[in-house]
Structure formats: structure tokens, C-alpha cells
Amino acid sequence: MKPADISLLHALGAPTISPDGKYAIVAVTRPDLEADEYRGGLWLVPTDGSAEPRRLTRGPRDGEPAYSPDGAWLAFVRGGDGAKPQLYVMPTGGGEPRKVTDEPLGVSEPVWSPDSRRLAFVARVPEEGRYGENKPEKERPRRITGFKYRRDNLGFFLDRRAHVFVVDPFAEEPSATQVTEGDFDHGGVTWSPDGALLAFVAARHDERGSTLTDDVWVSAPDGSDLRRVTTTDLAVAAPRFTPDGDALCFLGAGAGPEGRHLVAKNFGLWLVPLAGGAARRLTDEERFHLPVTPYVPTADGVLVTVENRGAKDLLHVPYAGAEPTVLINGPREVDAVAHAAGVTVVAVADACTPGELVALRQDKEITLTSFGPGLDVLPVEEVTGTAPDGYPVHGWIVRPAGEGPHPVLLMIHGGPFAQYGWHVFDEAQIYASAGYAVVMGNPRGSSGYGQAHGRHIFGDVGHLSALDLLALFDAALATGGLDASRAGVLGGSHGGFMTTWMAAHHGDRFKAAISERAVNAIDSFHGSSDIGWSFARDLYGEDPASWVEQSPLTHADKIDKPFMIIHSEHDWRCPVEQAQRLFVKLQLRGVETELLLFPGEGHELSRSGLPSHRVARFDAILDWWGRHL
């Protein structure tokens, strides 16, 4: 792969499945380098594999499809070309899509009522005089009284709260009714099976500005009879009614006695009675971490995806809390699931494809799509190192073609409670295609290997993470074909933190480094990051005096190798001052240092930034390694 080949990497949205189980519809999106945009449409896919997928819409950017329960209609969200995403409806038997909303900041999360007559959705409602025709710098000042007022890749949200709406899409002039009110954000909306209730997530308690806890709420579709279902001691997401309507499932994790502690907590599946009572966790807290992706309650249990050593398995979790049944596992990632009429459809990625639809019918897997044929990717090879305390450190090598010896890159993921896994990873493929062997893995601190694995590094992040990373790196070098004298280290976010740490403490192992969107100084990150107020104390410890020693910036005077820093101007997760402080310190010491600064981008540049910026980033990285390795 070359940098421009990101245009070949499609992304699948969450599929929807027809009530009779015969068809699935999925959004397929790709970077468009010529338009410098992301383009996508909806595809109709027979679930028995009897015919090729057929394109239904051409965007410019369509997503979030939802079949009506009677199968006659399809709702979806359309945006792109600078337009805010709005809700559209089209007949499944053929016909033109009809726009049914005109919300000023766009809509998301469309879901049909059980009678197929109404749609609920979520939209942000701007305060009067904001986010309109006036330039942002001419708006009145914001009055901020809590920690939670802005978010990376979104911006300020305390003056544009997310609310639930209901619309009749078949009215001659559809007009949405706002269901929720107040200075609160709402999301995750869903209907009860009888259509009498809406459920959603909101933090409506008095301490909402200083905690990470929220609740599942229910109300009538007109907003009346609002009541809380959970007890404000968890962070919750994605409520779904059980098919009998007697209970609600949701994803959640305990946030600790102060409601501020969520780092390296496994999110689990919970069940709470609608009539009232304690919520019950259905998945083991230590073993299973559920990404916040679509899941499906069925008559006898819930279909969920769980992280597992770089994979994402599909499990069936019984309501009684018995041991889950594994439906899909192995070296692949199940990223979304839909189910109807005994048919399950999932989006599955592996080392050869960014994702395809797979159907489970009568215990058989049927691959339904080939959206990424002809993608030329290099194979992925597993490797396991042994840390000084005997702990196994799991990872992978992506090798260039040919025998080598190849220059080698140690690549470190962010989070740290995240995982590298079994999918086509553009970073590893592009670097390996350019001649660099890539070593990457999931040291302690990562997710997917149990909660204790993730929490091992607390309070001594750099030192403990480095032990595992070097053990993995040495195991990769021992396989042969890699040139340890031409090694580089790179990573983003927490991976950038560790890149700076490795360059300072283990600089003899590497000839050059690239640190991206990094935390470098914990003290200023604590106050300037959108999550720093809770995240820093969780990961680095309660005593701010210890943060100085743990901060990579403290040790930057030990760095003497060429060092590139990549950052985005609008990164609110790891604000740009984190890059600037490191850049100035290295420049003043005469270290060969470059700062590559991207305008208009946030923390997610490498994954969802402008396609032109993503290509420019790759070009700069390859140029850097070409000069130094």
C-alpha cells in the first residue's frame, strides 16, 4: 500500500436487517481524495448469499440505515458536501428518498416505532444566537460551571445540548416534536416493543458536571412520565428493551465512589427491570470488555461483541447470567451485529479486509460481500515476548517483501486501554510496503486481555509499559530478518507519550522517533484536556507530585536522536501545548526536531481527518524514516 491507497479502504457501518431476515442494508464509506471528503452509500445485501449486493443510494454520504418493522420503509441519515446530516425515508420496494428533517446542527440515531409510523432520533439544539450565521468569535461568552463542557472532534456542547425528537415521516410537511428538555445531553434512544415508551441515556443529576455517571431514563413518546431506571452509580450507554418489554439491557461500568474513575474499566452488559430494581451485570467484569457497538437482545439472550487478545468475538449472553456461547471467534474482529427472523448478520474485519458482511444461518457462516477485492496487503505474523517478570506480551509483525534485514519500527497504540487487532491497519501496511518491518502489540495497559492486564501500569505508566514493549520488540528481533541497528519508535496519544518516554530512557535502541498527538506533561494535560480532569488521576495516580517524574517532558533532556512531533491545532484530547512544550525544549537543546502541525484537525486526524491531510501525514512520516533509517 501507498499513502494514496487509503481511498481503497472502505468502512462498514452497522447493518440493518429486514424483519423477514432476507436482506441486510449496510453503509459503505471510503475516502475520496479528489473531493477531499468521505463518500458513502447504502447497499442491499441478500442474506442467503444468492445474489450480489446492489447499491441503493449514492450519498454523497449516507449512513445509519434502519428498516421499518413492517419492512416497507428504510430510514437513513444523509450528509456530506458541507451539509448537516438529515433524516431521509424511502420505500424498500423502490422510489426516491424523502427528506423529513431540517435540524440546524443535523441528526443521528434514527429508530422506528414498532408500528412503523414514527421515527425517533437525536439532534443537538443550539442556544439562541449560536452556531448560526454569525462568526463564532462574535458570539457572546460561554458561562462554564463544570468539567464537562467540550469534547474533541465536537467542540463546545454545553450550549447545544442533544435532545430526543419524534417525527411522523409520512406527514405532508413533517415537523419533529422535541421530546426531552433541559440543560442535559440525551442519546441512545430506543422504543419499547409496544411503542408506549422511549428509553435513552442522560446525566440529569446535580453532579453531572463533575462525574462520569449517567442513567437510563424512560418517558412517553411525548416526553411525559419521565423517570429514571438506573441508580446513578454507573457510566451507561446504548439501552435496548428486551423483546418482552419487561427489562432494559445496557452497556456500563462502575465509575467508583466519586463517579470519576473509568480508566481501564471493562464495560459490560447489564440488565435492569423496567418496573424498578437493581441492575444486574450479565458479563464477567474481569474477563469481558464490550466495545460500545450495536448489540441485539433476542428472546433467550443478547448478541454482543467482546474484545479478546486483538480479536472481537461474537457471543450469545443468556439473560440468566450463565456462561456465554461463542458464535464467532478466531483472528478477526466482529464490529457490528443485526438479527431478525433467526438470521444474524455481522460486519467482520480480518488481516486481509477492512470488513465484509457475514450471515449466520442455521449455524453456518456465509460471506455475503466483497467490498475490498484486490486489496494488496502484507501478511500479519503473531509474536509473543516475555517480560522480566515472566508475563507474556502478545503482538504482531508486518514484514516487507523480501528477506531483509529490514529496518524496523516499534509502533505503540494509544489509549492505553485499547488494542491493536486483526484488521487491515493502514499504518502498518503503508510502512511495511515502504520497506519497514512493523512491530506492534498489546502490552499491559491494553484492553482485551482482562481488566487486571489493563490496570497493571497504574501509577508507573512509562516504566512498566516500556518493560513490556521492549520484551515484545526483542522477541520480534529474535525471529530474524530485522535490522536492530536501524530501528525507529512511533505512536499516537498514549503511544506518543510512550514514544517520548522510550526516546528518553531507551534511546540507545532507536535511531529516530515520531511522537504524535501525545501527552507529554501530565500537569498541564490534567487541566487542558477535555478528559484530563478525571483521566490523569486515574492513570497516573492521585498525587500530582508524582506526575512530574512520570511526565515524558521531564526527561526530554535525555533525548539526543532525531525527533518528529505531529499534532493537530484543534486537538482537545491532548491539546497542542503538549507538542509545543516538547518542541521548544528539544529545539533549545539543539536536537534535530520537526513539528508537523495540521490546521482544522482534532485528535482523530490519522483515522478520520481530511483525506488530503492523512496522505500528507503519511508522506511526511515516510520522508522522516527515509532520512533517518
Side-chain angles (χ1 to χ4, degrees), residues 353-389:
T353 173
E356 303 295 348
L357 286 192
V358 172
L360 298 181
R361 300 177 65 100
Q362 300 176 344
D363 297 325
K364 293 182 180 179
E365 289 187 31
I366 306 171
T367 300
L368 304 176
T369 63
S370 55
F371 291 119
L375 192 63
D376 186 16
V377 295
L378 293 162
V380 177
E381 168 191 337
E382 281 188 280
V383 62
T384 300
T386 303
D389 62 356

XYZ file of all heavy atoms in Angstrom, residues 353-389:
271
model
N -9.005 -7.886 5.009
C -10.074 -6.994 4.570
C -10.462 -6.037 5.686
O -10.479 -6.420 6.865
C -11.319 -7.785 4.130
O -12.400 -6.860 3.865
C -11.782 -8.739 5.204
N -10.815 -4.778 5.322
C -11.300 -3.843 6.335
C -12.671 -4.215 6.880
O -13.068 -3.709 7.929
C -11.368 -2.508 5.577
C -10.541 -2.689 4.361
C -10.627 -4.141 4.013
N -13.395 -5.088 6.175
C -14.688 -5.522 6.689
C -15.592 -6.034 5.591
O -15.663 -5.459 4.502
N -16.282 -7.125 5.867
C -17.301 -7.677 4.981
C -18.487 -8.123 5.820
O -18.364 -8.356 7.028
C -16.762 -8.864 4.170
C -15.527 -8.572 3.334
C -15.737 -7.580 2.205
O -16.913 -7.259 1.896
O -14.737 -7.095 1.650
N -19.647 -8.247 5.177
C -20.817 -8.774 5.869
C -20.806 -10.297 5.819
O -20.532 -10.902 4.780
C -22.108 -8.260 5.233
C -22.502 -6.797 5.489
C -23.937 -6.566 5.038
C -22.331 -6.397 6.940
N -21.117 -10.889 6.976
C -21.201 -12.340 7.114
C -22.537 -12.664 7.759
O -22.955 -12.004 8.722
C -20.044 -12.881 7.978
C -20.228 -14.362 8.281
C -18.710 -12.646 7.283
N -23.235 -13.675 7.234
C -24.509 -14.111 7.804
C -24.321 -15.422 8.546
O -23.559 -16.295 8.109
C -25.560 -14.283 6.704
N -24.988 -15.546 9.670
C -25.104 -16.815 10.386
C -26.513 -17.342 10.154
O -27.492 -16.769 10.631
C -24.855 -16.618 11.885
C -23.480 -16.106 12.316
C -23.410 -16.008 13.836
C -22.382 -17.012 11.807
N -26.603 -18.440 9.406
C -27.894 -19.068 9.103
C -27.770 -20.549 9.400
O -26.946 -21.231 8.806
C -28.292 -18.846 7.639
C -28.426 -17.378 7.231
C -28.744 -17.250 5.755
N -30.054 -17.808 5.438
C -31.157 -17.090 5.265
N -31.108 -15.773 5.364
N -32.305 -17.671 4.977
N -28.568 -21.031 10.335
C -28.559 -22.444 10.703
C -27.143 -22.917 11.033
O -26.677 -23.945 10.549
C -29.177 -23.289 9.579
C -30.621 -22.919 9.273
C -31.196 -23.678 8.093
O -30.459 -24.272 7.309
N -32.515 -23.656 7.962
N -26.474 -22.113 11.877
C -25.129 -22.436 12.375
C -24.060 -22.458 11.281
O -22.969 -22.992 11.490
C -25.127 -23.785 13.110
C -26.010 -23.762 14.335
O -26.073 -22.699 14.982
O -26.630 -24.786 14.638
N -24.345 -21.889 10.125
C -23.360 -21.807 9.053
C -23.032 -20.343 8.788
O -23.909 -19.476 8.824
C -23.886 -22.455 7.764
C -24.068 -23.960 7.864
C -24.534 -24.530 6.529
C -24.710 -26.039 6.617
N -25.185 -26.615 5.321
N -21.746 -20.077 8.497
C -21.314 -18.737 8.134
C -21.314 -18.596 6.618
O -20.780 -19.446 5.908
C -19.908 -18.458 8.654
C -19.816 -18.286 10.153
C -18.421 -17.844 10.569
O -17.745 -17.141 9.782
O -18.002 -18.214 11.683
N -21.914 -17.514 6.131
C -21.940 -17.221 4.699
C -21.375 -15.825 4.503
O -21.929 -14.851 5.031
C -23.373 -17.283 4.130
C -24.046 -18.617 4.451
C -23.349 -17.033 2.625
C -25.522 -18.648 4.097
N -20.275 -15.712 3.775
C -19.729 -14.400 3.451
C -20.562 -13.794 2.335
O -20.710 -14.381 1.256
C -18.258 -14.496 3.034
O -17.501 -15.054 4.113
C -17.696 -13.126 2.689
N -21.108 -12.604 2.585
C -22.101 -12.016 1.697
C -21.535 -10.966 0.756
O -22.145 -10.686 -0.285
C -23.224 -11.366 2.524
C -23.944 -12.270 3.528
C -24.946 -11.454 4.329
C -24.641 -13.419 2.808
N -20.407 -10.359 1.098
C -19.913 -9.232 0.314
C -18.426 -9.376 0.025
O -17.730 -10.169 0.662
C -20.133 -7.896 1.066
O -19.374 -7.916 2.281
C -21.605 -7.681 1.387
N -17.974 -8.597 -0.933
C -16.538 -8.497 -1.223
C -16.263 -7.048 -1.632
O -15.902 -6.765 -2.762
C -16.121 -9.475 -2.332
O -16.905 -9.290 -3.489
N -16.460 -6.152 -0.675
C -16.292 -4.726 -0.954
C -14.826 -4.349 -1.140
O -14.527 -3.295 -1.687
C -16.894 -3.891 0.176
C -18.388 -3.951 0.255
C -19.026 -4.440 1.381
C -19.156 -3.509 -0.808
C -20.406 -4.486 1.455
C -20.547 -3.554 -0.751
C -21.169 -4.053 0.387
N -13.910 -5.200 -0.677
C -12.494 -4.868 -0.788
C -11.699 -5.842 -1.616
O -10.587 -6.212 -1.232
N -12.192 -6.315 -2.765
C -11.422 -7.295 -3.545
C -10.185 -6.641 -4.149
O -10.169 -5.463 -4.489
C -12.405 -7.717 -4.643
C -13.292 -6.539 -4.822
C -13.440 -5.939 -3.453
N -9.139 -7.442 -4.268
C -7.937 -6.956 -4.917
C -7.069 -6.073 -4.049
O -6.067 -5.543 -4.529
N -7.406 -5.908 -2.784
C -6.588 -5.113 -1.884
C -5.289 -5.863 -1.598
O -5.306 -6.995 -1.112
C -7.361 -4.856 -0.589
C -6.803 -3.812 0.369
C -6.795 -2.438 -0.279
C -7.629 -3.787 1.647
N -4.182 -5.232 -1.908
C -2.877 -5.888 -1.788
C -2.309 -5.596 -0.400
O -1.813 -4.499 -0.146
C -1.940 -5.378 -2.878
C -0.613 -6.126 -2.897
O -0.549 -7.210 -2.286
O 0.344 -5.619 -3.503
N -2.392 -6.565 0.502
C -1.902 -6.360 1.864
C -0.838 -7.402 2.183
O -0.837 -8.509 1.652
C -3.045 -6.443 2.899
C -4.023 -5.305 2.705
C -3.758 -7.782 2.841
N 0.060 -7.016 3.066
C 1.114 -7.914 3.529
C 0.610 -8.746 4.703
O -0.209 -8.280 5.495
C 2.336 -7.100 3.941
C 3.039 -6.382 2.787
C 3.936 -5.270 3.303
C 3.844 -7.378 1.958
N 1.086 -9.973 4.851
C 0.596 -10.837 5.927
C 1.021 -10.339 7.308
O 2.011 -9.628 7.463
C 1.223 -12.200 5.606
C 2.408 -11.885 4.759
C 2.056 -10.660 3.974
N 0.236 -10.748 8.293
C 0.472 -10.392 9.689
C 0.916 -11.643 10.436
O 0.293 -12.708 10.300
C -0.809 -9.820 10.327
C -0.595 -9.504 11.795
C -1.250 -8.562 9.580
N 1.977 -11.519 11.203
C 2.598 -12.667 11.882
C 2.573 -12.434 13.395
O 3.050 -11.410 13.881
C 4.043 -12.794 11.381
C 4.947 -13.716 12.142
C 6.393 -13.528 11.707
O 6.647 -13.041 10.576
O 7.282 -13.857 12.509
N 2.010 -13.365 14.136
C 1.952 -13.219 15.594
C 3.324 -13.456 16.224
O 4.118 -14.266 15.737
C 0.951 -14.204 16.197
C -0.494 -13.769 16.066
C -1.436 -14.665 16.845
O -1.743 -15.756 16.315
O -1.858 -14.304 17.961
N 3.558 -12.753 17.333
C 4.791 -12.930 18.094
C 4.465 -12.672 19.556
O 3.587 -11.862 19.881
C 5.899 -11.971 17.589
C 5.507 -10.513 17.777
C 7.222 -12.264 18.265
N 5.155 -13.384 20.453
C 4.952 -13.200 21.889
C 6.300 -13.034 22.570
O 7.203 -13.860 22.402
C 4.200 -14.391 22.514
O 2.922 -14.517 21.886
C 4.002 -14.178 24.015
N 6.423 -11.951 23.332
C 7.619 -11.720 24.127
C 7.372 -12.099 25.578
O 6.249 -12.380 25.985
N 8.436 -12.117 26.362
C 8.325 -12.439 27.783
C 8.912 -11.284 28.583
O 10.104 -10.971 28.467
C 9.063 -13.742 28.123
O 8.530 -14.800 27.315
C 8.888 -14.081 29.593
N 8.075 -10.626 29.394
C 8.517 -9.503 30.212
C 9.450 -10.003 31.318
O 9.497 -11.206 31.609
C 7.307 -8.800 30.818
N 10.217 -9.117 31.955
C 11.145 -9.534 33.011
C 10.492 -10.324 34.139
O 11.138 -11.165 34.767
C 11.708 -8.202 33.519
C 11.646 -7.307 32.332
C 10.390 -7.693 31.612
N 9.191 -10.090 34.407
C 8.516 -10.845 35.464
C 7.877 -12.123 34.935
O 7.123 -12.791 35.643
C 7.464 -9.985 36.160
C 6.354 -9.533 35.217
O 6.431 -9.811 33.996
O 5.390 -8.883 35.701
